[in-house]
């Protein structure tokens, strides 16, 4: 793994998130974010079927329009706390990244992992426990496989009663390695 990214769980419930792009990658990212954020705006000239399905959620808004570099420079994203550049136009994604960085807005781009301030983890939730996995963009397929394995194990064995009561030297609980 190249540059190391710190795994951090952050409250984004009140953050204004813009997703520029309406394809399958954008839809997958919005689907993950909608579990945690209350204000997501998708900006795209058209959106895929998966994104259309999410528009039924009051947390997701849609601005139907094309986006140009001039739109970005003229303030289209001024209110953003976080931006996803998820178009099929590499130059537009790069312009969005540059614009966001100049304003200290967190940005993720779908087409250049070296230009991301953060990576999207593979997220699963079991009985209120949220698990986020990531490989720093090196092996998304491996991460998906590990997530699926964890989901299968946790759904099979559950997590209630499987955590030992004795803590380690820091007082944290240990998970029984034979059940997970």
């Amino acid at each position: 793994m190249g540059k190391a990214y710190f795994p951090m769980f952050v409250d984004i419930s009140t953050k204004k998130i813009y997703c520029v792009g309406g394809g399958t990658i954008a839809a997958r990212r919005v689907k993950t974010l909608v579990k945690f954020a209350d204000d997501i705006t998708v900006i795209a000239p058209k959106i895929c079927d998966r994104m259309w399905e999410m528009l039924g959620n009051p947390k997701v808004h849609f601005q139907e329009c094309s986006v140009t570099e001039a739109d970005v420079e003229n303030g289209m994203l001024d209110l953003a706390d976080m931006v996803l550049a998820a178009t099929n136009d590499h130059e537009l994604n790069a312009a969005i990244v540059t614009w966001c960085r100049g304003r200290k807005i967190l940005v993720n781009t779908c087409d250049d992992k070296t230009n991301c301030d953060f990576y999207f983890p593979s997220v699963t939730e079991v009985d209120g426990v949220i698990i986020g996995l990531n490989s720093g963009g090196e092996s998304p397929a491996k991460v998906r496989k590990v997530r699926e394995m964890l989901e299968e194990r946790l759904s099979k064995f559950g997590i209630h009663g499987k955590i030992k009561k004795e803590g380690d030297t820091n007082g944290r609980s240990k998970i029984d390695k034979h059940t997970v």
Side-chain angles (χ1 to χ4, degrees):
M1 188 161 85
K3 182 167 51 170
Y5 283 73
F6 179 71
M8 182 168 70
F9 287 82
V10 179
D11 178 8
I12 61 171
S13 62
T14 61
K15 303 299 181 195
K16 178 72 178 149
I17 301 170
Y18 283 90
C19 177
V20 182
T24 56
I25 292 172
R28 190 171 61 239
R29 292 183 177 170
V30 169
K31 182 179 179 183
T32 299
L33 286 171
V34 81
K35 298 173 191 170
F36 306 98
D38 294 337
D39 192 1
I40 303 168
T41 300
V42 177
I43 306 170
K46 59 183 179 178
I47 58 176
C48 69
D49 291 340
R50 288 175 66 192
M51 191 71 84
W52 273 114
E53 292 170 11
M54 283 185 272
L55 293 182
N57 187 317
K59 298 177 178 183
V60 182
H61 316 284
F62 178 45
Q63 263 183 266
E64 186 176 359
C65 64
S66 293
V67 178
T68 66
E69 291 179 43
D71 293 328
V72 174
E73 288 299 324
N74 289 328
M76 177 178 259
L77 305 173
D78 277 353
L79 299 177
D81 294 304
M82 181 188 304
V83 174
L84 312 176
T87 75
N88 59 2
D89 180 340
H90 180 72
E91 289 179 8
L92 176 58
N93 288 344
I96 291 169
V97 168
T98 299
W99 184 89
C100 287
R101 291 241 171 95
R103 286 154 186 80
K104 308 239 184 270
I105 296 171
L106 287 175
V107 63
N108 172 280
T109 181
C110 70
D111 62 354
D112 183 0
K113 68 180 181 179
T114 63
N115 247 343
C116 294
D117 291 333
F118 63 95
Y119 291 130
F120 265 79
S122 182
V123 176
T124 190
E125 183 177 351
V126 179
D127 291 335
V129 175
I130 298 170
I131 301 168
L133 303 165
N134 196 285
S135 66
E138 295 297 319
S139 184
K142 185 187 294 184
V143 170
R144 183 176 56 252
K145 188 174 182 176
V146 170
R147 187 201 74 227
E148 290 168 352
M149 181 205 66
L150 282 170
E151 288 172 340
E152 179 184 337
R153 293 280 188 133
L154 290 173
S155 68
K156 193 176 199 178
F157 296 107
I159 61 172
H160 296 293
K162 302 298 181 189
I163 299 177
K164 291 184 176 181
K165 296 298 179 194
E166 73 264 14
D168 63 16
T169 56
N170 294 322
R172 295 182 299 249
S173 296
K174 294 180 181 178
I175 297 176
D176 183 345
K177 67 180 179 182
H178 300 292
T179 61
V180 178

